[in-house]
Amino acid sequence: MLSPLLLLPLLAIIILNLPIRSVTQKLAILVGVVLSLWQIFSVILIATGRGGTDTWAKYFSLGLSCDNLTLVLLMSIGIVTLTTILVGWQTIGGGKQRFGFMNLVFVAMIGMNGTVMLTDLFSLYIFIEVTAVASFILIAFQRDTNALEGAFKYIILSATATVMMLLSISIILLVVGDTSFAAAGSAVRQSQGNPLVIAAIGIFICGLLIKGGVVPFHGWLPAAYSAAPAAASVLLAGIATKTSGIYALIRLTTSVFANNESVNHILLLAGAISILVGAFAAMGQSDFKRMLAYSSISQVGYIILALGCGTNLAIIGAVFHLFNHSIFKSLLFVNSAAVETQSGTTDMNRLGGLGTKMPVTNATSLIAFLSTAGVPPLAGFWSKLIIIIALWQNGLHTYATIAVLASVLTLAYLLLMQRKVFFGKVAEGLANVKEAGWGITAAATILAAITVGVGVTFPWMFNSVLMPISSFLK
Amino acid sequence: MTTDMAINIILGVALVLAAAWTVMTARLLRSVIGLALTSMILTIIMFKLNSPLAAVFELSVCAGLISAIFISCISLTQRLTDEQAAAKQKERFSSFWLLPVILVLAGVALYQVHIPLDFHLQAAPSESDVRNIIWNLRHLDLIGQIVILLAGAFGVVALFKD
Amino acid sequence: MTELPQVFWLFSIGAILLLITGFYCLIMTYNLVRALIGLEILTKSVTLFIILAGYVTERMALAQALAITLIIIEVVVIAVAVGIVLCVYKNIKSIDGRLLRNIKG
């Protein structure tokens, strides 16, 4: 059931690009929607045990594995890809451009699916690079100067992170002679404080922190997220950074690098600093998307903080917050896409009073920001609560207090955003603004429904769905 | 010292000198030629380290394809004027003293740290043929490479077509 | 320390020097194309590290496969980056990175 998730998008790319392109160009979006729906459906099948065996694994030796963490990520990838395709349908015009966009979304899908299913350090590098290349091109897709600057900064920093990861892989190759997760894990366990191995671990973690946009390596993130075209922002902020950086960190710190004390300290510190820097920087922004970018940095800080804590409950909180963040951050970016396409600007000083003109966007934006700030009964509240409880139980009282205080800051700046953009009087020049097209509103409604649904059914879901997530920890 | 060792030392020194020339030279075109030269020296080193297939790849791709890409990029974009280039070269040279200082400090630090190098290697390598590894054992990597080449093609189309 | 061939020490020092040179090039330049050249030098350094690791542990086949894959991926990244530089040139007629930073929205 796993290899089709990789091979079907590849097949789709090949078939759609055959010489009968004039016919297939129109089908590209439909194929994309079908594939992402199929991905969500197969995750539900696998989770309820009806997955069936992997019939294509006989022909290929792919070495894919799937546990509960993978399932959560695959579900997020499916949902956010569906959203991206819907937003892209609405915002990207012109048959050729749309076709190019769909090709790149398929490539990103293959990259992300591969990242979460593999079991080898070098394959991790390869698929992270695949996702990164698709992201570079998507950011630079419409060729305006700000986007090109953001893409170039991202390329330089991403390549630096790649060099660090490869250095670490070469040290592990030196120590153990193989690059699979199992071999690297056994090497770390057997080496007992060898400074070379510790250096390798540290360098790898730094590389992944750069990819995930964690402070102090977040330099590329605001430029890339805010300047990218609308659909690319949704894909990038919603899932691409999370998969390449954060999922890899979770996988490596729990299974390969196995609860190293110094690594935990570094993660706690980086997480706390990210939360604070992101929240404070977001308050001073006047551009809608830039503020959302700093808010992303802050939320990812929560996940890293929980990861640094290391207990079972903390890891559950981190994974749950990862899922929630992909949903509500995508929702916020979809709303920014709606505002951008309808009013032509993302400068919050020039926007105002759009709430009456765009009711659906207003409502979904309200739900999204309440979830981000952690207001019950929405999903964000529960995941933040789990993280804070886990931190408190582990004796990390200062970090827990920082997390709670930053929640208040998050509420403050997002409320400011909502008030500036949606409430109040209608600003000049915006009298003719209508609701966004049905692609964007459909995407926004789906995401808002998921956030509300997950939040409201949480007490029932806790034991059946959430606790088993930690089964991947040994 | 044997001739073999002498050749290795010459190659190592040549590699670092070529890279340094690539960085410090004022004009972009000379930088690209320096990059190609560094690739060639690296190819020779890789041949000496028993990796012929990777060496051939390095030569054809890095010393060939990438140099061609860079030269076409430089010919399509306007160079800085010569005074600006000379000024920037002076700036690069003026900060150059930092490099040997860092190197000496790093060397001293590394000398102090005792790095235990008795490694536990896993079971003996079962495959000794590169082609077997690429085509039979690591299909996931193969899929990744195919996809990234496709992505490169899409990117070139998206960025270059008007 | 166990017996590592002398050649390993020699070339690893060379690779570390290459790494430092690459970072120096990347940091000390405003020119977009020169930044890409710095990236290329970093990639060569890491390729040398992987080949050395394979040479010492007798895993030449795996190391060569990794090096070949690495070279292919770097070509694609550099090609996309050069595409972006050309688009920047079309927009602002210059490849000076400082000019880019001043066009902040």
Side-chain angles (χ1 to χ4, degrees), chain C residues 28-46:
Chain C
M28 293 295 298
T29 180
Y30 292 137
N31 191 335
L32 296 179
V33 178
R34 214 179 264 280
L36 293 181
I37 291 181
L39 272 182
E40 259 307 294
I41 298 181
L42 286 175
T43 310
K44 289 192 200 322
S45 153
V46 175

Side-chain angles (χ1 to χ4, degrees), chain A residues 283-350:
Chain A
M283 294 195 78
Q285 295 299 321
S286 65
D287 181 83
F288 195 174
K289 285 168 92 167
R290 241 182 140 82
M291 193 190 78
L292 291 179
Y294 279 109
S295 166
S296 278
I297 297 179
S298 183
Q299 297 301 315
V300 163
Y302 275 98
I303 303 177
I304 304 286
L305 197 64
L307 196 58
C309 177
T311 58
N312 262 14
L313 192 62
I315 304 275
I316 291 179
V319 173
F320 190 30
H321 200 66
L322 185 76
F323 177 75
N324 283 336
H325 178 78
S326 67
I327 302 288
F328 59 62
K329 193 53 59 155
S330 308
L331 182 51
L332 282 172
F333 271 103
V334 166
N335 288 332
S336 88
V339 167
E340 191 177 5
T341 45
Q342 295 304 114
S343 68
T345 176
T346 52
D347 187 351
M348 288 197 290
N349 293 329
R350 292 196 293 163

